[in-house]
Amino acid sequence: MMICSAVSKYNGSIDWKAVKENGIDYAMIRVGYRSYGSNSKLYKDPNFEQNVEGALNAGLKVGVYIFSQAITEAEANEEADFVVQQIKGYNITLPVAMDYEYASNGSGLTGRLYQAGLSTDKATNICKEFCNSVKAKGYTPIVYANKNMLQNHLNAGELSSRYMIWLANYTTETDYSGSYNVWQYSSKGRVPGIDGNVDCNFWYEEFDNIYEGVDYSAVYNYPQRIHSILSDPHCTHRIRHTDPIL
């Protein structure tokens, strides 16, 4: 079974050798984020270079993600350009993820994306713009969103017919009926070499392992019975929505 770990600056200094030695073969590393206040700007994760170089040097395969708050297609394209600019010097062989969800301040949903009140079609087109831009630059895009976002604020079927979907739904048995390639099912795991709790992801592909001409058979080499992974101590970590509001 192949395990993927996703990290950001909130994990501090990571011992990538220990991560690799404990069965983690893949890493999704945060490139940066868009602040969710009215004065929205793009920021690079201060630990990005340290993490991507450490993971690659330890022998992990690497993909990346950005926490998006894009409310226009132009902003989505800007985010895609920003990501590609940061990763073009590295051997990025796993997907490039757009983390598209509402920010939370601990007392509820907030931020420019939430407050924009976008229509489902508009939000979907923003995700499509990011994915199309990433794909045009030679990378494989994936959209990360929680169950509520996919069901109520995006045309998930339209997205999943063209791009990979990374579902976030913390439960032991998801009732999400749409198509998805990755399921983030818990936030309570631990990974040796990485501080703090970790989010757990089940990566799989039911049919073939080729997506847009790229062989992801290693990524998708998971058992299809969910109880096998629910008992696994190695999971995936990602910290969200505690960056500056601005």
Side-chain angles (χ1 to χ4, degrees), residues 198-230:
V198 299
D199 288 358
C200 302
N201 289 297
F202 180 41
W203 293 68
Y204 67 95
E205 182 66 86
E206 292 181 339
F207 301 106
D208 59 60
N209 296 315
I210 305 297
Y211 183 82
E212 295 294 339
V214 180
D215 185 355
Y216 286 103
S217 58
V219 180
Y220 298 132
N221 185 23
Y222 280 85
Q224 296 301 302
R225 295 171 63 84
I226 190 64
H227 69 76
S228 296
I229 60 165
L230 290 176

Side-chain angles (χ1 to χ4, degrees), residues 142-156:
I142 185 170
V143 176
Y144 172 99
N146 58 43
K147 176 186 171 184
N148 176 63
M149 198 75 176
L150 289 168
Q151 286 186 326
N152 300 311
H153 304 287
L154 292 169
N155 292 322

Side-chain angles (χ1 to χ4, degrees), residues 95-190:
V96 172
M98 181 191 207
D99 178 351
Y100 203 64
E101 56 187 320
Y102 300 139
S104 174
N105 60 9
S107 60
L109 300 177
T110 188
R112 68 194 309 266
L113 178 56
Y114 177 69
Q115 293 165 357
L118 301 178
S119 69
T120 299
D121 287 343
K122 179 64 174 178
T124 301
N125 287 338
I126 289 170
C127 291
K128 287 165 59 178
E129 181 65 24
F130 178 91
C131 291
N132 288 338
S133 183
V134 164
K135 182 178 176 182
K137 294 173 175 62
Y139 298 94
T140 299
I142 185 170
V143 176
Y144 172 99
N146 58 43
K147 176 186 171 184
N148 176 63
M149 198 75 176
L150 289 168
Q151 286 186 326
N152 300 311
H153 304 287
L154 292 169
N155 292 322
E158 182 178 355
L159 289 174
S160 65
S161 69
R162 302 184 183 195
Y163 317 107
M164 300 172 72
I165 300 296
W166 186 353
L167 165 70
N169 184 204
Y170 295 166
T171 178
T172 57
E173 184 176 354
T174 183
D175 59 0
Y176 177 69
S177 60
S179 298
Y180 54 95
N181 306 87
V182 185
W183 173 22
Q184 186 174 101
Y185 63 89
S186 176
S187 59
K188 303 293 185 180
R190 293 277 178 169

